[in-house]
Amino acid sequence: MKSSHRLTRLFAAWILPAALIVSASLAVATDTVEQQLNQAYAAYNQGDYATAARIIEPLAQQGDAQAQYNLGALYANGQGVKQDYARAKALYEQAAKQGYAEAQYNLGLLYDNGQGVKQSYARAKALYEQAAQQGFANAQYNLGVMYYSGKGVKQDYARAKALFEQAAQQGLAPAQYNLGVMYSNGQGVKQDIRQAEYWLQQAAAQGDQNAINNLKILRGQ
């Protein structure tokens, strides 16, 4: 079982409530935060990362949590800006302090991997917990992996199973796969082949190759 460490939900489709921003140009009507984020989102989808960064940087400086998160992701990925994990960390921290779950999760990834910060499973766990408590599936999954493997915490299959289940119910394929394996092996839960097959099927339907392979084994194919 491996934790997913990719940066997620860069330029989320949903946006924070709109607020007016003072424009430097008197000839152009002031755009709302929503409009500017949508412009950045469009630029990002077109591969114009530099324009996306230019649009959201002023919003991040003005304290918009989603902008801080997205700019942090650009710095972490080196898209439109020079890759800079330390800068990404600072931006994620600003958004995380405002309760932005994706930023809490990505900041946890930096600590988990030791990117731009001193590696710390304890700090990663604390940040994953903050995001997991808000229902963020990736954080629930990564926290589950920590409890399953005993990485930075005391190994606890029951806790891992509960976290995988939370993420699996939100449709996260790796969590569905891991939950299926736990039911198959009787780890943290009473062995239940029907439940194992159900969750492996859910993951397989999303193209998870591990789930597809394990289903064949489970069915004796």
Side-chain angles (χ1 to χ4, degrees):
M1 293 184 178
K2 293 183 65 178
S3 170
S4 172
H5 292 298
R6 63 180 180 270
L7 297 169
T8 62
R9 293 193 64 185
L10 179 59
F11 291 100
W14 56 276
I15 46 82
L16 297 176
L20 292 177
I21 303 297
V22 177
S23 173
S25 172
L26 297 177
V28 179
T30 300
D31 286 335
T32 63
V33 170
E34 176 181 350
Q35 290 169 329
Q36 292 182 73
L37 287 174
N38 284 340
Q39 290 167 10
Y41 183 66
Y44 181 84
N45 282 339
Q46 293 169 6
D48 188 354
Y49 305 133
T51 293
R54 176 180 56 78
I55 292 171
I56 63 175
E57 186 162 11
L59 302 179
Q61 291 173 349
Q62 293 172 39
D64 184 88
Q66 187 176 354
Q68 291 166 341
Y69 161 73
N70 284 336
L71 188 58
L74 289 177
Y75 273 104
N77 289 331
Q79 294 174 311
V81 294
K82 184 178 179 180
Q83 188 177 53
D84 187 337
Y85 287 125
R87 179 73 175 131
K89 179 236 181 196
L91 286 158
Y92 288 153
E93 279 184 335
Q94 292 171 22
K97 288 177 181 177
Q98 298 188 61
Y100 201 79
E102 289 89 337
Q104 293 165 343
Y105 168 73
N106 278 9
L107 186 57
L109 287 178
L110 292 183
Y111 278 102
D112 206 344
N113 294 330
Q115 295 170 314
V117 295
K118 183 178 180 181
Q119 198 279 338
S120 173
Y121 290 138
R123 186 73 181 121
K125 172 181 175 287
L127 287 158
Y128 289 155
E129 283 178 335
Q130 290 175 27
Q133 287 168 4
Q134 296 191 64
F136 192 56
N138 292 71
Q140 293 166 340
Y141 171 76
N142 276 17
L143 193 57
V145 169
M146 294 185 83
Y147 277 105
Y148 182 88
S149 63
K151 185 178 71 172
V153 296
K154 183 178 179 181
Q155 190 177 56
D156 186 337
Y157 286 144
R159 179 70 175 134
K161 181 261 179 184
L163 287 159
F164 288 147
E165 192 164 36
Q166 290 172 23
Q169 288 172 348
Q170 295 189 64
L172 191 67
Q176 293 170 338
Y177 167 73
N178 284 1
L179 188 58
V181 170
M182 295 192 80
Y183 271 111
S184 178
N185 294 337
Q187 294 171 309
V189 65
K190 184 178 179 180
Q191 187 180 49
D192 188 329
I193 300 304
R194 286 188 178 181
Q195 280 293 309
E197 185 173 14
Y198 171 80
W199 286 112
L200 290 173
Q201 283 177 331
Q202 297 301 305
Q206 297 191 62
D208 188 293
Q209 192 59 50
N210 288 326
I212 294 169
N213 293 340
N214 275 25
L215 270 176
K216 291 179 179 179
I217 295 171
L218 196 65
R219 293 167 176 171
Q221 296 177 347

